[in-house]
Amino acid sequence: MPYLLAALDDSAATAPVIAVARWFGALLGLDVVALHVSEDGSGTTARATAEAAGVAFEIRAGAPSRTLREAAADDEVFGVVVGARALPADRVPAGHVALDLIRRVSKPVIVVPPDVRVPAGDRPLRLMAPVDDERPTVDALRRLLDDMPRSDVDLVLLHVFDAQHVPMFADHGSYDIEEWCKEFVCRAAPSRAAHARVEWRVGHPAHTILAVERELDPDLVVLAWAGNLS
C-alpha cells in the first residue's frame, strides 16, 4: 500500500512535521510512516513524537540525506514530508537535508516550516499553485491534483509575469482577461476542479508568490520546479 514518509529529526520541528504528514496523508487516504536517521544514537524525541501521534516509526543508521533518498525510492512511497529547518528564528530558509531532498527526489516533497499552521479539516481545502508556461510544470501539477480524492478543493492558479512580458490583454479590458483565465484553467487544472480560478500579477516571481500567499492565506502552496537551485 502506498504511504507517506515523514522524515523526523530530534529537533523542535519534529512535531510540526508529523502533524502535517498526518493531515496530508488524510487528504490522500495514505498511511504515514515516520523515519529517523541516526548518526549518533539519536532518535528519542522522534520516536516519542511518532508514538504519540499513533504513527509507525522506523530508525536507520547512516548519512541523513542519502538514507532518506534511498527510503524515498521505495515504490510504495508516495512522497516525503521533511522539516524546512530546526528553529523558527533560523536565518536559513531550509536546511541542507530539505534542500537535498527537493533537488534529488522525483516524488512530491512537502517542506514544513517549524512555525507552520496545520489547516483545519472542517472546511474546503485551499490550494495555491504558482504555474508558469512550461508544459512539465503543468503536467506535474495535474498529476498531483488528480491523486486528491476531495472534491471541495478551492484551487488558485497563480501566474506571475515579469515587467518585460506583461501580456497585451492587460490593456484591452476585462473580456480578454477573462478568456485568458479560462484557457489557463483548462491547461493547468484537472477537469473536476470546479472551483479553480486564476490570479495573475506582475513582478519578481519569488517575491510576488510570497506576497500573494500572505494575501490569500492558502492551506498549501503547490510548486512544481526544475530541481535546479541556481
Side-chain angles (χ1 to χ4, degrees), residues 83-147:
R85 57 191 185 279
L87 299 171
D90 202 324
R91 291 183 297 174
V92 299
H96 70 280
V97 173
L99 292 177
D100 184 70
L101 292 179
I102 64 174
R103 287 177 54 232
R104 303 176 68 177
V105 172
S106 58
K107 294 179 179 179
V109 178
I110 302 176
V111 181
V112 182
D115 52 353
V116 67
R117 172 186 56 82
V118 180
D122 56 353
R123 59 178 173 79
L125 177 67
R126 293 180 297 189
L127 300 184
M128 187 183 88
V131 183
D132 57 24
D133 290 322
E134 299 297 326
R135 188 72 213 182
T137 302
V138 173
D139 290 343
L141 173 63
R142 290 180 70 106
R143 285 196 303 271
L144 178 63
L145 295 178
D146 281 337
D147 285 326

Side-chain angles (χ1 to χ4, degrees), residues 100-222:
D100 184 70
L101 292 179
I102 64 174
R103 287 177 54 232
R104 303 176 68 177
V105 172
S106 58
K107 294 179 179 179
V109 178
I110 302 176
V111 181
V112 182
D115 52 353
V116 67
R117 172 186 56 82
V118 180
D122 56 353
R123 59 178 173 79
L125 177 67
R126 293 180 297 189
L127 300 184
M128 187 183 88
V131 183
D132 57 24
D133 290 322
E134 299 297 326
R135 188 72 213 182
T137 302
V138 173
D139 290 343
L141 173 63
R142 290 180 70 106
R143 285 196 303 271
L144 178 63
L145 295 178
D146 281 337
D147 285 326
M148 289 190 173
R150 288 180 57 163
S151 59
D152 59 339
V153 175
D154 180 14
L155 173 63
V156 178
L157 301 169
L158 173 63
H159 189 76
V160 181
F161 298 97
D162 62 40
Q164 286 73 41
H165 297 89
V166 179
M168 294 181 63
F169 68 69
D171 298 323
H172 293 169
S174 61
Y175 176 78
D176 288 342
I177 295 175
E178 291 175 2
E179 290 302 305
W180 179 85
C181 289
K182 289 179 182 178
E183 179 184 347
F184 197 78
V185 168
C186 289
R187 283 191 288 122
S191 59
R192 61 179 176 79
H195 303 291
R197 61 189 175 91
V198 176
E199 294 278 343
W200 65 276
R201 299 287 193 278
V202 177
H204 182 281
H207 299 164
T208 304
I209 289 170
L210 290 173
V212 175
E213 186 276 332
R214 289 190 291 268
E215 173 190 338
L216 300 181
D217 191 28
D219 297 319
L220 189 67
V221 177
V222 182

